[in-house]
Each structure stands twice: as structure tokens, then as C-alpha cells.
Amino acid sequence: QKEVEQNSGPLSVPEGAIASLNCTYSDRVSQSFFWYRQYSGKSPELIMSIYSNGDKEDGRFTAQLNKASQYVSLLIRDSQPSDSATYLCAVFSQAGTALIFGKGTTLSVSS
Amino acid sequence: NAGVTQTPKFQVLKTGQSMTLQCAQDMNHNSMYWYRQDPGMGLRLIYYSASEGTTDKGEVPNGYNVSRLNKREFSLRLESAAPSQTSVYFCVAEREGQRTDTQYFGPGTRLTVL
């Protein structure tokens, strides 16, 4: 069974700090990696995607991918209370037919 | 442009009752999926459809059936609801074969089975 693992949290950071969210995956041939944000009672929304080793930046968000270590992370700089949500890591394998999701990490940003 | 719509938004059923969750997309995407989300379990794939007329089982298909009658609509049916099917159900539409950031979630259906 291909798996995606995340720490459930909660991860608590003060406003303005960097939040670091981590994810590991078991399928070595995974090709596409995604981070979703989900507010309580809402549906997940895509915030970052990454396909190649290294870093990808988009505003305050940076996704980092290391395929050799089967590790993907999300950094949120200058964290805001509005970033408080559950963050879902998701992976598409090469042979996969659908996204496999981790259970999510709850982030709490205190003002 | 509504994206992905789901009906109903909320539903309460008694054990043994049946119902159909409706999903429709207006983006002309080929692939559609049904996921369920439970506390502590994350999102789990129930069924998916790569194109009109085709469906395949996902990780947790037992107790469910699906129908993809046309490109736009993908429905999920519970023939005899059980309390274990209490969950939030999400429909997702995806552009075929891209494996890129083109997955769109519907707003979800919150189902309670008593």
C-alpha cells in the first residue's frame, strides 16, 4: 500500500515566524507532489505543486522536494493567523490513478 | 463558471436507507473522483472515472456504487447506508493525464447515518 505520512500536529507558531510542514512518501516512482490547505468545514484548495527536486517558491510559500529521500516539505514564511488550517500533502505515483493524501498537519498561528 | 458542484450539501439518513450523491463539473475534464474524509483517516479514494462510461474502484469501494453517464456528471450511490459511511464526501474533477495542478474539489457533502 503506497503511503503518504505527515505529522498530525498541531504545529503552533507565532505570527511572523516560519512554519515548516513535512511529508514523506513510500512510492519511489512518485512523480507529482501537492500541498493543499483546508480550512475547517471547507474543501481542500491547492496551494503548491512541485515535480522536480529542489525548491519552488510562490509568494510566502516554498515547496521543497527531495526524491532520493522521498521527502517533500512546505515552508510558510511570515506566518499569519489566516494561515491556521490543516495542510494536506498529496502524491501522484507514475502508475497511480489518483492522488494519495496524507492525513494532514494542523497549523495554528497565534497573534 | 461554478467548477465542481455537489448536491446535497448535508444529509441525514437512517441505517438501511439509500441515496445518491450528485456531482457535476463544467470544466470539460475527463477524470472525476469520489473521496471520503474522516477524522484521523485523511482523504480516501472511493471510486474514480477516467472518462465517460468508465469507472474503477479505489481504496474503499465497499458499500458504494458509481455512475458516469456523461462527461459532466459522476454520481455516488449508497444502496444501504451504514453508520460507518458517516463522512464528508468530496467530488474532484481533473484534466486527464496531466498529473499537474488541475484537480478541483467540490464543496463536499456532509452525510450522517444514524
Side-chain angles (χ1 to χ4, degrees):
Chain A
Q1 174 69 21
K2 300 177 177 62
E3 294 183 345
V4 177
E5 299 287 343
Q6 297 180 254
N7 288 327
S8 61
L11 174 65
S12 297
V13 300
E15 184 175 359
I18 295 175
S20 178
L21 303 159
N22 304 313
C23 172
T24 59
Y25 59 94
S26 63
D27 186 358
R28 282 195 169 275
V29 298
S30 295
Q31 296 293 307
S32 308
F33 307 87
F34 306 89
W35 283 98
Y36 286 81
R37 178 176 61 199
Q38 186 176 26
Y39 292 113
S40 181
K42 302 295 185 182
S43 56
E45 57 175 325
L46 181 69
I47 53 172
M48 289 289 290
S49 59
I50 187 167
Y51 312 105
S52 303
N53 279 330
D55 295 358
K56 178 182 178 183
E57 186 174 319
D58 184 0
R60 296 186 296 112
F61 298 98
T62 299
Q64 299 175 317
L65 175 62
N66 184 325
K67 290 187 178 180
S69 300
Q70 295 175 237
Y71 176 94
V72 58
S73 65
L74 179 71
L75 300 178
I76 306 175
R77 291 182 301 280
D78 189 23
S79 295
Q80 302 297 309
S82 59
D83 294 326
S84 298
T86 296
Y87 289 80
L88 304 171
C89 175
V91 174
F92 250 130
S93 68
Q94 187 175 23
T97 52
L99 284 172
I100 300 172
F101 285 86
K103 296 179 181 179
T105 299
T106 300
L107 172 66
S108 175
V109 181
S110 57
S111 57
Chain B
N1 186 343
V4 180
T5 58
Q6 292 183 236
T7 55
K9 286 186 169 55
F10 300 93
Q11 184 71 50
V12 178
L13 293 177
K14 294 181 179 179
T15 297
Q17 288 184 316
S18 62
M19 78 161 295
T20 300
L21 281 64
Q22 304 287 353
C23 174
Q25 52 114 352
D26 62 5
M27 298 172 288
N28 204 37
H29 289 349
N30 285 317
S31 299
M32 298 184 75
Y33 307 84
W34 277 105
Y35 285 90
R36 61 178 287 176
Q37 187 174 36
D38 304 289
M41 298 297 292
L43 281 155
R44 293 180 293 169
L45 180 66
I46 306 171
Y47 270 94
Y48 65 96
S49 171
S51 60
E52 178 182 344
T54 68
T55 61
D56 286 285
K57 295 178 180 179
E59 180 185 358
V60 289
N62 292 343
Y64 305 95
N65 286 300
V66 291
S67 177
R68 183 86 183 272
L69 295 177
N70 54 59
K71 193 171 187 178
R72 184 174 177 273
E73 297 171 302
F74 188 35
S75 61
L76 178 71
R77 182 161 178 84
L78 286 70
E79 292 291 351
S80 179
S84 61
Q85 294 177 304
T86 294
S87 188
V88 180
Y89 293 85
F90 290 105
C91 178
V92 178
E94 181 201 52
R95 194 161 60 210
E96 179 186 354
Q98 297 295 311
R99 297 296 185 259
T100 61
D101 48 356
T102 55
Q103 300 91 27
Y104 301 92
F105 276 76
T109 293
R110 284 147 183 81
L111 174 67
T112 300
V113 182
L114 302 176

